[in-house]
Amino acid sequence: MAWNIISALVENKPGVLFRVSNMFRARNFNIESLSVGPTEQSDLSRITVTVDSDEHVTEQMVKQLRKLIDVVDVTRLQVSDTVYRELALIKLKAVDPSSRMEIINLANVFRGKIVDVSKSTIMVEITGTPDKIDAFKSLVEHYGVIQLARTGVSALPRGVLYE
């Protein structure tokens, strides 16, 4: 098993995400993360799916996606030639000033941002690879994670696409 990124350009219209996710459900493919957003073309959206699967299963996913009528293009991105990021919001317990300072220092090391503070909590926004987010989370878990929200991976291939 290996971590893989699949990028699909799809028509930006109702029901497309359902058909794509339903294909994964019907074939019993497990999705690690999924993100959807507009592209440089208003009539297209980009769906980025990360999966933990072997070579054969990943190729089957790509082939099945290409069969869907609303899918314009499907690319299996090579992790080494791809810029990929995820955003996480993590709300932590921070009841005393020393805990608060330790969390702020860790957020600075990971180039995170403090986006909300209350008397007993602190919320950190962190962007990066899933490994970076996992590493930050493991360092702050002992403070007490109250809530966690992750966006899923967004990705684009490196370099010039059109010359």
Side-chain angles (χ1 to χ4, degrees), residues 68-120:
L68 297 176
I69 194 160
D70 300 316
V71 175
V72 176
D73 188 34
V74 180
T75 305
R76 181 175 172 194
L77 299 173
Q78 298 302 313
V79 173
S80 61
D81 296 329
T82 301
V83 176
Y84 58 99
R85 298 289 184 270
E86 182 176 16
L87 182 140
L89 295 173
I90 305 173
K91 186 186 294 183
L92 299 158
K93 289 181 186 173
V95 291
D96 60 81
S98 65
S99 295
R100 194 176 310 252
M101 281 308 300
E102 290 171 12
I103 293 169
I104 290 170
N105 287 338
L106 287 170
N108 287 334
V109 169
F110 281 80
R111 298 183 185 166
K113 294 178 187 173
I114 306 303
V115 292
D116 187 59
V117 176
S118 74
K119 289 183 179 179
S120 60

Side-chain angles (χ1 to χ4, degrees), residues 47-62:
I47 297 177
T48 305
V49 180
T50 61
V51 294
D52 189 12
S53 60
D54 63 29
E55 186 74 21
H56 175 72
V57 171
T58 304
E59 285 304 315
Q60 286 302 310
M61 291 178 194
V62 170

